[in-house]
Amino acid sequence: MQTTKDGKLKFDQVSHTYRRTDNGAQVKSVTQVIDAAGLTDFDSIPIADDVKARAMLRGTYTHKATELFDRNELDVTTLDDTVRPYFSGWAKFRADTGFMPIEIELQLLHPTLNYCGTLDRIGLLGGRHVTLDIKTGAACAWTRIQTAAYSQLAAGNQIACAPERYALELQKTGRYKLHGPWTDPNDFNVFLAALTITNWHDNKGL
């Protein structure tokens, strides 16, 4: 396990679970809450399990490539051919928009609501501090809920973040599609409802 930057969580990369450092209790992530409440549609996608696994691995490697690039630590000659076009979309987005990352792969615990997550990016877009989630697949309807929860994680930890939220869809063609801005405050209300339902299930042992 690795301890997160804020020192409040330990993150297990293998099981993709978070635990509090003060009492060892497991904390649900944003995506786990949304999935547990039935808002995601992963299982409805008619794709074989091995294909899904490869897609998830590709997403992990692409995220790591963009992270290293934004930290000025990437050797582009090491990129796998399956990752390269998705990374190219990220580099093109950075060049086209002037997006400047401020927080990169930031793991946070909400101080009062007891949920956590990893924010792909908080950065400057058009002079505004925005929340940006990186996707190597299509951005789904629930991405609005996901980014709202991430934005509130930042706000709850007193990290500057404007209301605008985005998802960046990196494509295998080397292109990208920017979704947003999303600003509807009801998106977070939906997440709060999902969190309430998930906590009720846990408390009842369901």
Side-chain angles (χ1 to χ4, degrees):
M1 284 192 175
Q2 66 182 47
T3 303
T4 57
K5 184 178 178 181
D6 62 4
K8 298 177 182 177
L9 294 168
K10 285 187 178 294
F11 177 63
D12 187 331
Q13 290 184 316
V14 176
S15 61
H16 204 81
T17 55
Y18 299 82
R19 291 189 178 276
R20 297 180 66 108
T21 54
D22 55 359
N23 59 19
Q26 186 171 330
V27 183
K28 279 189 168 58
S29 70
V30 169
T31 50
Q32 288 171 338
V33 169
I34 292 173
D35 189 43
L39 297 178
T40 58
D41 50 8
F42 295 129
D43 293 335
S44 66
I45 302 174
I47 302 176
D49 288 344
D50 62 327
V51 176
K52 288 183 182 180
R54 288 198 298 272
M56 290 177 66
L57 192 60
R58 183 187 64 226
T60 298
Y61 288 155
T62 299
H63 269 75
K64 190 61 179 180
T66 62
E67 176 187 355
L68 291 174
F69 178 75
D70 289 353
R71 298 188 190 279
N72 299 313
E73 298 174 359
L74 179 67
D75 179 355
V76 294
T77 64
T78 65
L79 290 176
D80 186 87
D81 287 342
T82 58
V83 172
R84 192 177 298 277
Y86 296 92
F87 167 74
S88 294
W90 177 252
K92 181 172 173 55
F93 166 72
R94 288 281 314 270
D96 288 350
T97 65
F99 177 78
M100 292 297 297
I102 296 173
E103 299 288 354
I104 302 168
E105 298 294 329
L106 181 63
Q107 296 168 327
L108 294 172
L109 170 69
H110 196 283
T112 58
L113 296 176
N114 198 42
Y115 75 89
C116 63
T118 301
L119 286 69
D120 289 347
R121 299 292 186 277
I122 292 177
L124 289 172
L125 183 64
R128 302 272 286 172
H129 289 76
V130 304
T131 304
L132 178 73
D133 199 66
I134 301 170
K135 303 291 187 185
T136 54
C140 302
W142 53 264
T143 305
R144 295 173 178 241
I145 313 306
Q146 180 187 27
T147 54
Y150 288 154
S151 182
Q152 288 298 317
L153 267 177
N157 284 275
Q158 299 183 330
I159 296 172
C161 190
E164 292 88 351
R165 299 170 274 113
Y166 295 85
L168 184 71
E169 182 182 320
L170 302 179
Q171 303 171 340
K172 63 181 179 181
T173 60
R175 299 181 179 181
Y176 66 86
K177 183 176 181 180
L178 186 63
H179 299 265
W182 298 313
T183 58
D184 188 349
N186 282 325
D187 291 342
F188 186 61
N189 291 335
V190 173
F191 177 78
L192 286 178
L195 183 61
T196 300
I197 292 169
T198 302
N199 288 339
W200 184 85
H201 273 253
D202 289 348
N203 292 336
K204 296 296 183 182
L206 300 177

